[in-house]
């Protein structure tokens, strides 16, 4: 059993982010924009410079989303050790590489160094917490908090505890993320890949099969979503979208009408062999699609586009649908 939580989810002011790459850096930006004091630690020699560049690049998007009073990049402290990063933390977000043994050891170290009762979340994309919490002395406070890239812009975070996680740590984390401006799905069990990655993975496998078989180019695949279902999905999920495909008969008509085609061999759920040919085709296809735009150009383009969608669908402060 973990110690009682000292800080309520709504009164947290100091957050530690451990691992500060794409996702950890995105979390840092999110929490800075929310007016938190953030400490960060990452063992890479160039981590601090990389992190500060990421925060600077994200700041225009954070300004458009609406900064909390007092929010500033100056409230980021990059520490020399993991222990310093978490010493005064009221919440810890771990975003180290997706390697099971590394996560196990790191979560045990974080557990040993973090004040008692403080919840520690892992950004893992797919490991169940049950498998990651095995080496920790007080595993009850370890919870999965799975974000989407970039965490400062995409609202969703999926929360799930492991076999040895205290239910109150799961509740605390969900309330904390909500008060930090996230849209939270709290899962009552550990589903491999959680919810959204299961769905993304199915699409990703089919896309790779189509490239491998020469059925579609990388550009065709991207356009098929951005000019097609992707436009609807930003407004309604795949279920309600399909219910509308049933017209006035709704989902029942949709199932009666198209249910039999579920048995047609449209999809190949086995992953394709990621051989060199497929690897090169996907990488080259993405380079061609970028057409000379740098990663920073594409990040800016994506951020502006997502903000425009959030604004258009009433999901930014002050843009609530009438
Ligand atoms: N990239 C995504 O779209 C995405 C989305 C959601 C979740 N995630 C998850 O977030 C986590 C981080 O992924 P990423 O994409 O940011 O990877 P990344 O490679 O960009 O960053 C990982 C960072 O961890 C640092 N690191 C290495 N060893 C470490 C250690 N022992 N302790 C702390 N930090 C260490 C690295 O220096 C690097 O800066 C992974 O668990 C990943 O599955 C990634």
């Amino acid at each position: 059993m973990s110690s009682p939580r000292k800080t309520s989810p709504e009164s947290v002011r100091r957050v530690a982010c451990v691992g500060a790459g794409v996702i950890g850096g995105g979390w840092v930006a999110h929490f800075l924009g929310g007016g938190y004091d953030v400490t960060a630690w990452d063992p890479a020699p160039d981590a601090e410079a990389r992190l500060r560049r990421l925060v600077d690049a994200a700041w225009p998007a954070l300004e458009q989303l609406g900064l909390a009073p007092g929010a500033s990049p100056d409230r980021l402290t990059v520490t020399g050790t993991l222990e310093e990063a978490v010493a005064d933390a009221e919440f810890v977000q771990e975003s180290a590489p997706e390697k099971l043994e590394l996560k196990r050891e790191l979560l045990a170290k974080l557990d040993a160094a973090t004040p008692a009762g403080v919840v520690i979340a892992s950004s893992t994309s797919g490991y169940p917490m049950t498998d990651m919490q095995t080496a920790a002395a007080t595993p009850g406070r370890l919870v999965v908090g799975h974000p989407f890239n970039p965490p400062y812009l995409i609202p969703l975070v999926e929360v799930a505890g492991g076999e040895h996680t205290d239910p109150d740590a799961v509740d605390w984390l969900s309330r904390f993320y909500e008060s930090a401006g996230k849209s939270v799905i709290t899962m009552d069990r550990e589903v491999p890949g959680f919810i959204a990655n299961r769905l993304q993975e199915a699409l990703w496998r089919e896309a790779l099969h189509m490239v491998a078989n020469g059925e579609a180019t990388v550009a065709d695949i991207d356009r098929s979503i951005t000019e097609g279902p992707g436009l609807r999905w930003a407004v309604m999920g795949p279920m309600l979208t399909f219910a509308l495909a049933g017209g006035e008969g709704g989902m029942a008509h949709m199932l009666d009408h198209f249910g039999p085609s579920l048995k047609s061999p449209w999809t190949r759920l086995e992953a394709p062999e990621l051989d060199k040919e497929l690897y090169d085709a996907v990488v080259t296809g993405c380079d061609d699609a970028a057409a000379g735009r740098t990663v920073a150009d594409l990040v800016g383009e994506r951020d502006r586009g997502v903000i425009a969608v959030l604004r258009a669908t009433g999901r930014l402060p002050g843009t609530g649908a009438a």
Side-chain angles (χ1 to χ4, degrees):
M1 206 47 200
S2 294
S3 309
R5 320 263 158 249
K6 289 199 191 107
T7 314
S8 75
E10 295 76 20
S11 54
V12 168
R13 299 301 351 130
R14 292 187 304 277
V15 167
C17 293
V18 171
V22 173
I23 290 300
W27 275 121
V28 167
H30 178 74
F31 290 125
L32 289 171
Y36 294 86
D37 289 311
V38 181
T39 48
W41 177 76
D42 186 300
D46 62 339
E48 177 163 4
R50 210 172 0 104
L51 173 58
R52 293 199 185 272
R53 277 199 302 277
L54 189 155
V55 170
D56 287 346
W59 208 255
L62 290 163
E63 283 174 335
Q64 287 192 62
L65 293 169
L67 295 173
S72 164
D74 298 341
R75 290 175 63 184
L76 168 63
T77 307
V78 178
T79 64
T81 64
L82 169 154
E83 287 74 15
E84 286 169 271
V86 301
D88 291 321
E90 294 164 320
F91 168 67
V92 178
Q93 183 80 40
E94 170 275 311
S95 309
E98 190 77 348
K99 295 183 188 149
L100 185 55
E101 208 40 55
L102 184 153
K103 296 261 195 210
R104 264 188 198 139
E105 281 172 26
L106 179 59
L107 288 172
K109 262 195 204 165
L110 287 172
D111 180 42
T114 302
V118 167
V119 170
I120 301 170
S122 172
S123 296
T124 181
S125 297
Y127 294 132
M129 182 48 83
T130 299
D131 294 349
M132 295 191 294
Q133 66 192 165
T134 48
T138 52
R141 52 156 148 190
L142 302 179
V143 194
V144 167
H146 172 239
F148 291 80
N149 189 42
Y152 60 84
L153 201 50
I154 304 296
L156 185 62
V157 60
E158 295 170 317
V159 171
E163 264 172 36
H164 299 288
T165 303
D166 296 335
D168 92 283
V170 174
D171 293 345
W172 188 98
L173 183 61
S174 297
R175 277 176 54 198
F176 167 68
Y177 281 143
E178 270 159 21
S179 74
K182 304 298 289 180
S183 175
V184 183
I185 293 180
T186 307
M187 301 181 65
D188 66 0
R189 69 199 66 185
E190 296 185 283
V191 175
F194 317 118
I195 299 172
N197 270 1
R198 290 277 290 255
L199 296 171
Q200 292 204 113
E201 178 77 9
L203 190 70
W204 174 228
R205 284 183 185 194
E206 289 311 312
L208 291 178
H209 274 301
M210 294 185 93
V211 173
N213 294 338
E215 294 161 345
T217 64
V218 166
D220 291 337
I221 284 166
D222 277 351
R223 212 153 53 84
S224 77
I225 297 299
T226 58
E227 298 292 308
L231 286 170
R232 303 186 302 217
W233 287 343
V235 183
M236 270 168 214
M239 293 304 218
L240 258 193
T241 295
F242 272 175
L244 293 185
E248 293 190 0
M251 182 53 99
H253 177 60
M254 167 74 190
L255 292 175
D256 293 340
H257 190 179
F258 295 110
S261 65
L262 281 174
K263 301 282 184 195
S264 332
W266 276 11
T267 53
R268 290 154 284 208
L269 287 176
E270 288 298 316
E273 196 53 48
L274 195 51
D275 56 19
K276 182 156 173 21
E277 198 181 341
L278 176 56
Y279 188 99
D280 288 347
V282 175
V283 171
T284 310
C286 286
D287 287 346
D288 292 347
R293 290 168 294 176
T294 63
V295 170
D297 294 337
L298 291 168
V299 165
E301 214 171 288
R302 177 201 60 197
D303 287 8
R304 285 190 296 279
V306 172
I307 288 171
V309 170
L310 291 172
R311 179 170 289 126
T313 51
R315 282 180 277 179
L316 281 191
T319 60

